[in-house]
Short mmCIF file of all heavy atoms in Angstrom, two decimals:
data_model
loop_
_atom_site.label_atom_id
_atom_site.label_comp_id
_atom_site.label_asym_id
_atom_site.label_seq_id
_atom_site.Cartn_x
_atom_site.Cartn_y
_atom_site.Cartn_z
N TYR A 170 -13.96 18.90 1.55
CA TYR A 170 -14.97 17.96 1.09
C TYR A 170 -15.66 18.38 -0.21
O TYR A 170 -16.20 17.55 -0.91
CB TYR A 170 -16.00 17.68 2.19
CG TYR A 170 -15.63 16.45 2.98
CD1 TYR A 170 -15.03 16.55 4.23
CD2 TYR A 170 -15.86 15.19 2.47
CE1 TYR A 170 -14.68 15.41 4.95
CE2 TYR A 170 -15.52 14.04 3.17
CZ TYR A 170 -14.92 14.17 4.41
OH TYR A 170 -14.57 13.04 5.10
N ALA A 181 -10.92 19.54 5.88
CA ALA A 181 -11.23 18.57 6.95
C ALA A 181 -9.93 18.02 7.53
O ALA A 181 -9.84 17.78 8.73
CB ALA A 181 -12.09 17.45 6.39
N PRO A 200 -9.77 13.84 19.12
CA PRO A 200 -11.14 14.17 19.50
C PRO A 200 -12.12 13.98 18.35
O PRO A 200 -11.72 13.96 17.18
CB PRO A 200 -11.05 15.65 19.88
CG PRO A 200 -9.80 16.16 19.24
CD PRO A 200 -8.87 15.00 19.13
N SER A 201 -13.39 13.85 18.69
CA SER A 201 -14.43 13.64 17.70
C SER A 201 -14.43 14.78 16.67
O SER A 201 -14.28 15.95 17.04
CB SER A 201 -15.77 13.57 18.42
OG SER A 201 -16.77 13.31 17.49
N GLY A 202 -14.53 14.42 15.40
CA GLY A 202 -14.61 15.43 14.35
C GLY A 202 -13.27 15.95 13.88
O GLY A 202 -13.21 16.87 13.07
N CYS A 203 -12.15 15.36 14.35
CA CYS A 203 -10.84 15.91 13.99
C CYS A 203 -10.38 15.45 12.61
O CYS A 203 -9.43 16.01 12.06
CB CYS A 203 -9.78 15.58 15.04
SG CYS A 203 -9.33 13.85 15.09
N GLY A 204 -11.04 14.45 12.04
CA GLY A 204 -10.67 14.05 10.69
C GLY A 204 -10.13 12.63 10.56
O GLY A 204 -9.55 12.28 9.55
N LYS A 205 -10.37 11.80 11.58
CA LYS A 205 -9.84 10.44 11.55
C LYS A 205 -10.49 9.61 10.43
O LYS A 205 -9.80 8.95 9.66
CB LYS A 205 -10.06 9.76 12.91
CG LYS A 205 -9.43 10.52 14.07
CD LYS A 205 -9.63 9.81 15.39
CE LYS A 205 -11.07 9.70 15.85
NZ LYS A 205 -11.71 11.00 16.15
N SER A 206 -11.81 9.67 10.35
CA SER A 206 -12.49 8.90 9.30
C SER A 206 -12.17 9.46 7.93
O SER A 206 -12.08 8.72 6.95
CB SER A 206 -14.00 8.88 9.53
OG SER A 206 -14.29 8.24 10.74
N THR A 207 -11.97 10.78 7.87
CA THR A 207 -11.59 11.41 6.60
C THR A 207 -10.24 10.85 6.16
O THR A 207 -10.04 10.50 4.99
CB THR A 207 -11.49 12.94 6.79
OG1 THR A 207 -12.74 13.40 7.27
CG2 THR A 207 -11.14 13.63 5.49
N LYS A 210 -10.74 7.50 4.64
CA LYS A 210 -11.28 7.55 3.28
C LYS A 210 -10.17 7.84 2.28
O LYS A 210 -10.16 7.32 1.17
CB LYS A 210 -12.36 8.65 3.18
CG LYS A 210 -13.64 8.30 3.91
CD LYS A 210 -14.64 9.45 3.78
CE LYS A 210 -15.59 9.49 4.96
NZ LYS A 210 -16.30 10.77 5.06
N GLU A 326 -12.69 2.51 14.65
CA GLU A 326 -13.37 2.25 15.92
C GLU A 326 -14.08 0.91 15.95
O GLU A 326 -15.27 0.85 16.23
CB GLU A 326 -14.40 3.34 16.14
CG GLU A 326 -13.73 4.66 16.32
CD GLU A 326 -14.45 5.45 17.37
OE1 GLU A 326 -14.77 4.85 18.41
OE2 GLU A 326 -14.67 6.63 17.13
N HIS A 359 -10.89 5.71 20.01
CA HIS A 359 -10.97 6.72 21.06
C HIS A 359 -10.29 6.21 22.33
O HIS A 359 -10.17 6.92 23.30
CB HIS A 359 -12.43 7.03 21.40
CG HIS A 359 -13.07 7.97 20.43
ND1 HIS A 359 -14.25 7.68 19.79
CD2 HIS A 359 -12.68 9.17 19.98
CE1 HIS A 359 -14.56 8.69 18.99
NE2 HIS A 359 -13.62 9.60 19.09
N1 ATP B 297 -19.16 14.13 3.65
C1 ATP B 297 -18.76 15.24 4.28
N2 ATP B 297 -19.00 16.48 3.78
C2 ATP B 297 -18.57 17.59 4.40
N3 ATP B 297 -17.89 17.59 5.55
C3 ATP B 297 -17.63 16.40 6.12
C4 ATP B 297 -18.05 15.16 5.51
N4 ATP B 297 -17.64 14.14 6.31
C5 ATP B 297 -17.00 14.71 7.35
N5 ATP B 297 -16.99 16.05 7.24
C6 ATP B 297 -16.34 17.02 8.17
O1 ATP B 297 -14.97 16.72 8.24
C7 ATP B 297 -14.50 16.86 9.58
C8 ATP B 297 -13.84 15.57 10.04
O2 ATP B 297 -14.82 14.54 10.09
P1 ATP B 297 -14.46 13.01 10.38
O3 ATP B 297 -15.68 12.19 10.17
O4 ATP B 297 -13.25 12.66 9.58
O5 ATP B 297 -14.07 13.09 11.94
P2 ATP B 297 -13.68 11.90 12.97
O6 ATP B 297 -12.37 12.29 13.57
O7 ATP B 297 -13.77 10.59 12.29
O8 ATP B 297 -14.81 12.04 14.09
P3 ATP B 297 -15.45 10.89 15.04
O9 ATP B 297 -14.42 10.60 16.09
O10 ATP B 297 -16.63 11.57 15.63
O11 ATP B 297 -15.79 9.72 14.20
C9 ATP B 297 -15.70 17.26 10.43
O12 ATP B 297 -15.67 18.66 10.60
C10 ATP B 297 -16.89 16.87 9.57
O13 ATP B 297 -17.97 17.72 9.79
#
Side-chain angles (χ1 to χ4, degrees):
Y170 266 101
S201 182
C203 70
K205 302 181 295 296
S206 297
T207 304
K210 289 179 208 164
E326 295 219 45
H359 279 127

